[in-house]
Amino acid sequence: MLTNSLVELDRQHLVHPLSSFRGHEDRGVRVLRSAKGARVTDAEGRELIDGFAGLWCVNAGYGQESVVEAAAEQMRTLPYATGYFDLGSEAPIRLAAALAERSPGDLNHIFFTLGGSDAVDSTIRFVRYYWHSKGMPERDQFISVEQGFHGSSTMGAGLTALPGFHDGFGVPYSWQHKISSHYLYRNPLGDDPQTVIDASVAELRAKVAAIGEDKVAAFYVEPIQGSGGVLVPPKGWIKAMRDVCAELGILFIADEVITGFGRTGPMFACEDEGIVPDLMTCAKGLTSGYAPMGAVFMADHVYETIADGAGAKAVGHGFTYSAHPVSAAVALEVLALYEGGLFENGVKAGARLMAGLESLRDHPLVGDVRGRGMLAAVELVTDKVAKTPLPAEVQPGTRLFDRAWEQGVIMRCFAHGVFGYAPPLCCTDAEIDAIVERTRTVLDLTLEDPEIRAVLR
């Protein structure tokens, strides 16, 4: 009865993110009751392995008592402190220092936000201020990558290159431009890595030339494109794009909201290619989802330019909950857990996950397996040669998610028929194996669907 009541209350009052309002009214909510480690339990008592860590974020796993205690102690001592008026508190100060110490290169200055979307939005404002400070306000054009995701705030959604975040919202803006994704599996140039790298470099140069080199402010990119379907660039692609931006004097922004904090192996995915961005965003794994928090990392030259440009004036950007002490206390303890063994376990579990998913390549519905560390995808097709996606009329996103749920695993199921994986770094060997085996069961069941059998080649 309690669950039924919650479902009705949810249907009547709670607006869910990224949902069909009418569709959600019809389906109703699945209520989660508790969680521990890599497993969650719903209101009906069903236990599932969370193969997606909430929303790419519960990297440390659920139910970490030391994190709960850190939050409780901070709430007892100082539940809130503003960062305005030159005030502050110990936890965010220590967190900023810890992050700067661990960040690539000279990303020594940290601005805290509530999450990834407002971190991206903050970079847009900081980039604009940077160029104004340099006496070049005409540098106000931004470039990002097709199938990339940079949040759903009003400006960030324009940098995002997924139609669902544009339709009905009046974005992207005229100052937001795109170049093609590196998407190897469906790249019209084929899957030769160097060919794709060379083409992307040429396209970025051409886009800059078309806009005007003296007008382009910044280039945004995820080290691995997450919400576009976990699209892994060829090795060397990120560095090549960074080098072009450095040559042309364009600020390079790495969006590590998903990839940060051990998701691909190292602390930050930028380390995989040894690059140092001018600005970097993170969130999600920063607090392992236990409390809202994001961050913008600024390189020394960006900070100094903005500081000199403002002089004695306040830089007019901030949030009530910037550098929230409870979120910072949580993040500090989560960082201790990462470095106390979770990063190491994540590397081992990630290798096991990728090996397990690779074993699915021979399945009739599997067209591609890709990933890095604990971030992976399996793309489904009905024709491996033609790479034909699952028919849209079977609504792959909903059908596959429901079927996985029934098998006791949560994973992202993209609308075009792609499974996305981002399990907690605390996963055991048995849990990783179960994610793979339950995926195989979902594939086998889907293979029996009449609509699939009718188009299978």
Side-chain angles (χ1 to χ4, degrees), residues 85 140 160 180 199 211 217 278 328 434:
F85 323 128
D140 60 359
T160 289
S180 304
I211 297 167
D278 298 298

Side-chain angles (χ1 to χ4, degrees), residues 45-326:
R46 178 188 288 107
E47 185 181 80
L48 306 100
I49 299 173
D50 188 355
F52 205 63
L55 192 66
W56 330 80
C57 57
V58 190
N59 293 12
Y62 298 92
Q64 296 283 8
E65 287 299 324
S66 63
V67 179
V68 176
E69 286 304 314
E73 181 57 30
Q74 184 63 56
M75 285 183 180
R76 293 186 194 102
T77 305
L78 183 68
Y80 175 78
T82 183
Y84 285 54
F85 323 128
D86 299 320
L87 298 176
S89 58
E90 181 175 353
I93 293 170
R94 292 198 180 281
L95 178 61
L99 293 176
E101 181 183 352
R102 292 160 175 79
S103 66
D106 65 343
L107 293 170
N108 291 319
H109 307 274
I110 316 296
F111 174 80
F112 289 115
T113 65
L114 282 74
S117 288
D118 57 327
V120 170
D121 229 44
S122 294
T123 64
I124 295 172
R125 288 173 62 78
F126 288 137
V127 167
R128 284 272 174 83
Y129 207 103
Y130 172 90
W131 289 114
H132 276 252
S133 296
K134 291 180 78 72
M136 290 182 272
E138 68 279 3
R139 296 194 74 148
D140 60 359
Q141 303 294 299
F142 289 64
I143 302 173
S144 56
V145 181
E146 291 289 354
Q147 294 179 255
F149 182 77
H150 300 288
S152 58
S153 64
T154 299
M155 289 197 294
L159 293 175
T160 289
L162 300 170
F165 292 87
H166 296 168
D167 296 345
F169 293 108
V171 293
Y173 297 109
S174 60
W175 48 270
Q176 296 175 322
H177 311 271
K178 310 290 186 294
I179 64 167
S180 304
S181 172
H182 44 68
Y183 194 1
L184 273 180
Y185 181 62
R186 295 189 180 278
N187 200 297
L189 298 174
D191 59 3
D192 175 62
Q194 194 58 52
T195 299
V196 172
I197 292 171
D198 292 344
S200 293
V201 166
E203 187 177 356
L204 179 57
R205 289 185 181 279
K207 180 67 72 174
V208 172
I211 297 167
E213 189 174 326
D214 59 346
K215 291 183 171 61
V216 178
F219 174 71
Y220 283 71
V221 68
E222 301 161 272
I224 292 175
Q225 293 187 303
S227 294
V230 189
L231 307 180
V232 184
K235 185 173 179 55
W237 188 92
I238 292 288
K239 186 176 187 308
M241 306 308 276
R242 177 65 178 112
D243 289 347
V244 171
C245 290
E247 177 191 333
L248 301 179
I250 297 166
L251 293 177
F252 183 95
I253 290 83
D255 187 337
E256 293 241 21
V257 169
I258 289 172
T259 54
F261 300 99
R263 179 51 60 198
T264 69
M267 176 83 79
F268 300 107
C270 285
E271 298 173 44
D272 285 327
E273 295 206 10
I275 68 159
V276 179
D278 298 298
L279 293 132
M280 182 172 76
T281 57
C282 73
K284 297 190 184 292
L286 173 59
T287 62
S288 189
Y290 280 59
M293 193 175 221
V296 175
F297 294 60
M298 293 184 194
D300 287 345
H301 77 97
V302 175
Y303 175 86
E304 295 297 339
T305 298
I306 292 173
D308 290 343
K313 294 186 303 182
V315 177
H317 180 67
F319 305 109
T320 300
Y321 300 115
S322 292
H324 196 287
V326 176

Side-chain angles (χ1 to χ4, degrees), residues 10 14-21 24 27 29 55 149 152 165 169 412:
D10 175 272
L14 183 57
V15 180
H16 283 248
L18 199 63
S19 69
S20 159
F21 289 7
H24 181 75
R27 287 190 298 274
V29 67
L55 192 66
F149 182 77
S152 58
F165 292 87
F169 293 108
R412 180 77 173 265

